[in-house]
Each structure stands twice: as structure tokens, then as C-alpha cells.
Amino acid sequence: MEAVIPNFVIHEHHSGALLPHNINSCKYNYQPQNGYYEVPELPGIGQELMEETIKLSEKVIIK
């Protein structure tokens, strides 16, 4: 996440991130408040896909 990069300047937030389909595909809805994101204290990038999203996703198996 950009929060730990000392010289990070800007994060683009696309309108697609506001579509219900995209919001509902993840467990957490991170949206900027007053131009800022709250940094989650969860491990990794602080986001997880919903089980339904994983079930509906295309899967590729490489042998």
C-alpha cells in the first residue's frame, strides 16, 4: 500500500470503484474521506474477496 512509501504523491481513484458490483466483491469498502484513505490495520493489503466473488471467478489450472 502507498501509505508506507515515503515519496508517494497521489493515488488514482477510478469511478469503477464506486460501482455496487465492485464494492460488493470485497469484504471491506475502502473509500476516501475528505481526500484521504484510512490505513487498515489488517495483514497484507488489508482487503479480502468475498467467497461468492471467488466462486464466480474464472479459474485457470496450469499443470
Side-chain angles (χ1 to χ4, degrees), residues 31-46:
Q31 300 296 333
Q33 300 294 324
N34 298 317
Y36 294 92
Y37 284 93
E38 187 173 322
V39 178
E41 293 188 17
L42 299 170
I45 61 171

Side-chain angles (χ1 to χ4, degrees), residues 22-60:
N22 291 329
I23 290 173
N24 296 329
S25 68
C26 295
K27 289 188 178 182
Y28 311 105
N29 180 19
Y30 296 120
Q31 300 296 333
Q33 300 294 324
N34 298 317
Y36 294 92
Y37 284 93
E38 187 173 322
V39 178
E41 293 188 17
L42 299 170
I45 61 171
Q47 186 58 279
E48 296 179 52
L49 293 175
M50 297 292 286
E51 286 295 324
E52 187 65 21
T53 303
I54 295 170
K55 289 178 187 174
L56 295 173
S57 297
E58 179 180 345
K59 294 156 186 77
V60 177

